[in-house]
Amino acid sequence: MKHDKLIKGVAYHGNRILRHVETDMRDIIERHFNLVVHMFSHTDWDRHRNIMKEIIQITEGYGLDVWVDNWGLGGPPGDKAHFLGYSPDSRQVYSDGAVDPVRACLNSPDFRNFTKEWIDVVRDIGGKSIFWDEPHLAAKSMENGQPQVWTCRCPRCQSLFEERYGKKMPTEFTEEVSQFRIGSIVDYFAEVTRYSKSKQMENIVCVMLGAEYGINLSTIHEIASLDSLDNIGSDPYWLGSDADPYQLVYDSTKRNLEVCGQYGKSHNLWIQGYGTPAGREEEIILATDAAYDAGARTILVWGYRGSESNDYRAHHTDLTWKIIGDAMRRITDRHMDAQRAKYLLP
């Protein structure tokens, strides 16, 4: 009888020194993880391409699986889109005419071709699975749950909107604008994931629900219906809200799994391990239990050592990392007990 694998991952970035990578991968194993999500930004492409190839080899050499993150390729979340220095007319434009200096328009043919070049490089350095990190369009000035100022309304998007709807693209946020934004996200991912799938690569996506991101349940279902997408996830981070960590993660995981089940996709569920205030570290255990209780079996944490190398790190990174390890050990033991129980059934 083959047991079901519990996948436990952690995001790793901020270090490109190989001797530290060796130590950190051993540390990750000791915290009961078996997968590492490595960032591969435009800067990594330009300055660390061969180093990243070695980092993937080191990680896999310790028996850890690897996902490669498109960190900041088109702008936040993550890095700023350095690509825009080469293609400035590919910037997102807000409905008030302001240009976003760091985010790329998903309808830009140049950006789509650039993404495909990035995929080729990921494959060349040994990447087998791509983690598409929180795709979204920008928005600001939220009111009644809807953005008052939004992207993208660049000349290209205005032309595409007029072709689709037979009228000028408005500056106010309408249902047609919402549909167009959803369509832009889905069409971009349809094209680039088909390309990576043609290279025999796995496609994994994590989405943030919210009108400000151009992501709603309709978007989720349209993305989920893509044959080229293998795995759909979400990141129900609770800090900064009044939400109960267990309930938020449990409910979000259930919704995530329902969509994945409907479309026959695998799942990924993220636990917040960054920005942890002093005294709230054990909420990570509650949240991890909630994801497992709801049925998730691919559970990841952002990020390594409480995101110690970032300004958004946990207040007490050593304690937070210890608690993260405890959470991973807890679900590992529970999972092994459940697998063992199958053998004891009469």
Side-chain angles (χ1 to χ4, degrees):
M1 181 185 298
K2 184 178 180 181
H3 78 272
D4 298 323
K5 183 177 181 180
L6 177 62
I7 299 171
K8 299 157 293 176
V10 64
Y12 181 90
H13 63 117
N15 172 55
R16 297 293 177 255
I17 301 172
L18 295 180
R19 62 189 176 90
H20 293 307
V21 171
E22 291 267 6
T23 301
D24 293 346
M25 293 307 110
R26 291 194 294 269
D27 184 27
I28 285 169
I29 291 170
E30 289 171 1
R31 304 295 171 179
H32 313 287
F33 290 100
N34 51 23
L35 182 147
V36 178
V37 182
H38 283 298
M39 312 302 110
F40 188 64
S41 67
H42 197 166
T43 299
D44 287 319
W45 179 354
D46 284 344
R47 300 179 63 86
H48 310 124
R49 178 171 175 165
N50 292 327
I51 295 298
M52 285 305 302
K53 185 173 185 176
E54 291 189 58
I55 287 175
I56 289 174
Q57 290 171 342
I58 288 169
T59 306
E60 292 180 338
Y62 279 104
L64 296 161
D65 292 328
V66 172
W67 292 354
V68 179
D69 190 313
N70 67 326
W71 187 244
L73 199 68
D79 209 344
K80 298 174 182 177
H82 304 311
F83 154 80
L84 294 173
Y86 304 91
S87 182
D89 66 342
S90 293
R91 290 184 169 91
Q92 289 183 30
V93 177
Y94 287 93
S95 54
D96 62 1
V99 176
D100 192 306
V102 299
R103 289 178 171 87
C105 171
L106 299 182
N107 286 318
S108 163
D110 287 345
F111 180 61
R112 294 188 180 201
N113 289 333
F114 173 76
T115 303
K116 293 174 185 176
E117 292 175 20
W118 177 85
I119 291 168
D120 288 337
V121 176
V122 171
R123 188 169 181 268
D124 181 64
I125 64 172
K128 304 175 185 68
S129 302
I130 295 179
F131 178 67
W132 300 100
D133 197 343
E134 296 180 346
H136 71 283
L137 291 167
K140 52 188 177 183
S141 303
M142 297 296 295
E143 189 174 302
N144 298 322
Q146 301 294 332
Q148 302 304 297
V149 181
W150 44 269
T151 64
C152 181
R153 199 177 179 276
C154 69
R156 181 186 305 102
C157 286
Q158 290 186 53
S159 177
L160 290 171
F161 184 95
E162 190 166 358
E163 286 178 20
R164 179 172 176 179
Y165 295 103
K167 58 184 177 182
K168 299 287 186 182
M169 192 178 203
T171 56
E172 63 270 16
F173 191 82
T174 65
E175 180 58 32
E176 289 171 335
V177 166
S178 177
Q179 292 173 0
F180 180 80
R181 279 159 55 89
I182 290 169
S184 297
I185 294 170
V186 173
D187 190 64
Y188 168 78
F189 275 94
E191 182 171 339
V192 299
T193 58
R194 277 197 302 266
Y195 184 79
S196 52
K197 183 60 68 174
S198 74
K199 306 289 183 179
Q200 290 75 54
M201 303 176 79
E202 181 184 21
N203 289 301
I204 303 139
V205 68
C206 175
V207 296
M208 299 178 292
L209 276 174
E212 64 268 38
Y213 309 121
I215 301 282
N216 59 21
L217 288 176
S218 173
T219 328
I220 300 294
H221 284 277
E222 290 195 47
I223 290 176
S225 68
L226 297 175
D227 292 339
S228 51
L229 192 66
D230 303 290
N231 187 316
I232 304 165
S234 58
D235 46 6
Y237 298 152
W238 62 93
L239 294 173
S241 75
D242 295 328
D244 173 83
Y246 184 95
Q247 200 64 53
L248 174 67
V249 174
Y250 184 90
D251 293 343
S252 299
T253 302
K254 281 291 188 184
R255 288 196 297 271
N256 197 144
L257 293 176
E258 286 170 6
V259 172
C260 291
Q262 183 175 346
Y263 293 93
K265 308 292 186 181
S266 300
H267 66 274
N268 64 96
L269 199 289
W270 287 81
I271 303 299
Q272 185 169 3
Y274 69 90
T276 310
R280 296 185 64 181
E281 293 84 5
E282 291 188 357
E283 291 178 7
I284 294 167
I285 293 176
L286 279 176
T288 305
D289 275 354
Y292 189 86
D293 291 344
R297 295 299 180 263
T298 301
I299 300 173
L300 306 98
V301 177
W302 195 288
Y304 176 66
R305 284 191 53 79
S307 298
E308 183 178 44
S309 62
N310 295 273
D311 284 348
Y312 57 73
R313 66 189 182 274
H315 186 83
H316 294 301
T317 55
D318 285 316
L319 178 58
T320 299
W321 185 233
K322 193 267 183 191
I323 294 292
I324 288 171
D326 290 346
M328 292 299 108
R329 176 58 185 268
R330 183 181 175 98
I331 60 171
T332 301
D333 289 344
R334 292 179 62 193
H335 194 68
M336 288 298 100
D337 287 346
Q339 297 299 308
R340 177 174 171 270
K342 295 178 182 179
Y343 295 92
L344 301 178
L345 291 175

